[in-house]
Amino acid sequence: GVPVAEALRRAAEISPRDNDITARMYAPVLLGMPDILQALDLSNDRAHATLTLARDTRVWQVEVPAGAVAPVWPGDTDISLMTPQGWVDARTSATAPEWLHDPLTFHRLVEKPQQRAVYAQLNMVTDVTGETLEEFGERIAERVRATHPRALILDLRLDRGGNMDLRFGFVRELIKAETDSTRLFVLVGRGSFSATQAIIDDLDRFSNAVLVGEPASSRPNGYGDSYRIVLPNSGLTVRTSIKWHQVDDSNRPYTAIDIAAPPTFASYVEGRDPALEAALAYVPRPTLDAQLVAAGSAGGLTAVKSTLASYLSDDANRYVDVRHQLIIAPQSLFAAKRLDEALYVAQYASERFPLSSASWSVLGHVAEWTGHPELARRAGVKALELEPDNREVRALMERLAAAGHK
C-alpha cells in the first residue's frame, strides 16, 4: 500500500547524487517488479505489488500481480519492438511493418513484385535447420536472377550478431546478385551489432550497396567474441569481449550511411518504415564533388558555397562521411579548373576537421597548385604534426623549401 511517490523517494535514497534521474531510472523497476519492492522493504509480499494511485481528487489502490518469468530470447536478435501478448501497443495500424513481422525467423525472404523488389531479412548471423547462411545467400541470388527486381533489399536492423565466420559465402552471393538493373540496399539500425557489423563493412567495401537507415551500434574496428562468465554467488552472467577485429586503419565511430532514415515514434505509431520507404523510392543523386563542380561551372564560388551548405543541411546526409567527401571535392574542383572554389572547399574541410591530417594535406596540395605557397606550407606543418610519416606531405614540404618557402 505504499504510495508511488514514496516508492520513488526511497529508490532515490539508494543513490542520492541525483534524485530526479534516479527516480526516473528506478520507476519502471519499482512499479513492475514486486521482488524489488519487497527487497526495498516497501512490501511484505513478493507475489504482488499494491500501488496507491492518485489523479486530481481521486485516490485508489491497485494490486498488480508479478508476471511470469519471460521466456529466454535469442541473444543475437533484437526483439525489443515485439509487443507481448495482451499488451497495449502504440501502433494504430492493423499490421506491423515488414521488418517487425517475424523477428524470430532468422532467414526471411519476401518478394515484393509490385515494388519490383526482393526483400531479405537476416535476424541472426547463423545457420538454421535445413539451411546454412551461405545457402540463404544462394536462395536470395536465385530469386534475383529469376525475377530481375529493381531493388534487392537486405535488412539487418534486428541482427545483433552471431558467428561472423559464416558470413563469407553469404556476402559473396549478395555481391554476385548485383547487376546494372538490380541495386543492392542494406538497411542498418541501432539493433545491428557485432558480427552484423562485419557484413555491413564487407558490403560497404566490396559492393555498390546503398546503406540506408542509421549507424549500427558497433563500429568497424572493435572488440568482439564475448566470453561468458557466470559469477559464482549470484549466478549473474557477465560477458567480456576478448578479440580485436580491425577493418582498416581508421578510427571511424561508425560505418557511414548513405541515406539517413532512422525510425521515429510517429512512424511506429502509423506502422510505417522510413528506411524501407527510402530504399524503394531511391533515385541516384550526384556525389558532392559532382554537385560542387556543376555549381562552380554554373555560378562560381557563390553557387559552390550555397550547394555545399544545402548538402550539409540535408537531413538525408546526416550520417554520410562528410570528411571523406570534403577531401575528394577540392581535388575534383581543381581538375575542373575551378581554382577559387577548390581552395575554398579545402579550407572549409581543414576548419571543420582540424584533427584530420588528410584534410590539411589536401589543403596543402590545393594551395600549392593554386599559387598560395605560404598557405601550403602552413597546411603541411599541420598535417605533419598529426601524421609525421606522411610521405606525400613531406614531398610537398621539400618542394616548397626548394622554392624558398621554409
Side-chain angles (χ1 to χ4, degrees):
V2 176
V4 173
E6 172 65 10
L8 296 181
R9 185 191 66 76
R10 295 194 195 179
E13 291 174 353
I14 296 172
S15 179
R17 180 179 58 182
D18 189 330
N19 288 354
D20 289 339
I21 292 176
T22 305
R24 288 196 298 271
M25 179 177 69
Y26 277 92
V29 176
L30 283 168
L31 302 184
M33 299 182 65
D35 268 350
I36 300 298
L37 290 172
Q38 193 271 340
L40 290 171
D41 198 27
L42 295 172
S43 171
N44 293 322
D45 186 358
R46 297 180 61 186
H48 300 81
T50 303
L51 306 177
T52 301
L53 307 177
R55 173 176 289 178
D56 299 327
T57 60
R58 181 189 172 204
V59 178
W60 72 103
Q61 286 191 335
V62 177
E63 190 173 82
V64 182
V69 176
V72 177
W73 297 102
D76 290 323
T77 304
D78 183 0
I79 49 83
S80 61
L81 292 175
M82 289 183 67
T83 305
Q85 187 69 31
W87 284 48
V88 176
D89 197 328
R91 190 173 61 241
T92 57
S93 62
T95 58
E98 186 67 64
W99 70 300
L100 299 179
H101 272 197
D102 193 3
L104 297 180
T105 294
F106 302 143
H107 298 177
R108 291 188 67 222
L109 187 59
V110 180
E111 293 186 41
K112 295 183 173 294
Q114 290 186 330
Q115 291 90 1
R116 295 185 56 216
V118 169
Y119 174 89
Q121 186 176 30
L122 181 64
N123 291 331
M124 184 186 293
V125 185
T126 185
D127 299 333
V128 298
T129 302
E131 183 176 67
T132 66
L133 184 55
E134 181 174 348
E135 288 169 344
F136 180 42
E138 293 170 351
R139 182 156 61 100
I140 295 170
E142 188 278 327
R143 294 316 303 156
V144 169
R145 288 191 293 270
T147 60
H148 305 289
R150 180 191 69 84
L152 167 57
I153 299 169
L154 174 65
D155 197 336
L156 299 174
R157 288 175 292 173
L158 299 180
D159 192 338
R160 298 200 301 196
N163 184 348
M164 71 169 59
D165 292 337
L166 299 176
R167 76 186 191 275
F168 299 108
F170 176 74
V171 168
R172 182 190 65 236
E173 293 300 321
L174 291 173
I175 294 173
K176 288 166 58 178
E178 280 188 298
T179 67
D180 291 340
S181 58
T182 299
R183 186 179 293 273
L184 174 61
F185 296 87
V186 182
L187 308 189
V188 183
R190 65 196 69 183
S192 310
F193 185 70
S194 191
T196 312
Q197 179 70 51
I199 294 177
I200 295 169
D201 285 321
D202 285 350
L203 293 175
D204 184 49
R205 289 184 296 163
F206 302 130
S207 79
N208 294 315
V210 178
L211 273 57
V212 183
E214 61 182 350
S217 290
S218 50
R219 58 196 303 160
N221 297 337
Y223 284 96
D225 296 68
S226 65
Y227 180 77
R228 182 171 178 264
I229 303 169
V230 178
L231 300 181
N233 295 325
S234 66
L236 294 175
T237 294
V238 177
R239 288 187 176 271
T240 305
S241 296
I242 59 174
K243 186 176 180 181
W244 175 259
H245 296 277
Q246 184 155 334
V247 172
D248 54 31
D249 60 357
S250 72
N251 193 32
R252 295 175 292 162
Y254 55 81
T255 302
I257 301 297
D258 298 303
I259 303 175
T264 65
F265 182 72
S267 63
Y268 179 85
V269 169
E270 297 168 3
R272 295 177 43 245
D273 182 350
L276 182 58
E277 292 170 5
L280 292 173
Y282 175 79
V283 176
R285 300 180 299 172
T287 58
L288 175 60
D289 63 317
Q291 292 182 45
L292 294 180
V293 168
S297 299
L301 182 57
T302 299
V304 165
K305 290 181 178 180
S306 175
T307 300
L308 178 58
S310 177
Y311 179 90
L312 296 175
S313 64
D314 186 344
D315 202 46
N317 298 326
R318 187 189 319 176
Y319 306 123
V320 299
D321 189 346
V322 173
R323 185 188 68 87
H324 180 67
Q325 300 287 343
L326 291 177
I327 289 172
I328 294 174
Q331 301 173 73
S332 297
L333 285 163
F334 178 80
K337 303 187 186 312
R338 307 305 311 180
L339 305 190
D340 290 344
E341 294 88 339
L343 188 61
Y344 168 79
V345 175
Q347 288 179 299
Y348 179 89
S350 67
E351 292 168 2
R352 177 155 180 166
F353 299 100
L355 299 181
S356 167
S357 63
S359 296
W360 288 107
S361 173
V362 168
L363 175 58
H365 285 89
V366 171
E368 179 193 26
W369 300 336
T370 55
H372 298 82
E374 181 54 30
L375 176 58
R377 188 194 66 80
R378 293 198 304 269
V381 169
K382 292 292 295 184
L384 290 177
E385 287 176 357
L386 295 164
E387 189 181 359
D389 296 328
N390 189 315
R391 288 180 291 180
E392 290 186 354
V393 177
R394 286 192 173 278
L396 166 66
M397 299 299 281
E398 290 171 3
R399 290 195 303 272
L400 293 171
H405 305 286
K406 298 183 179 180

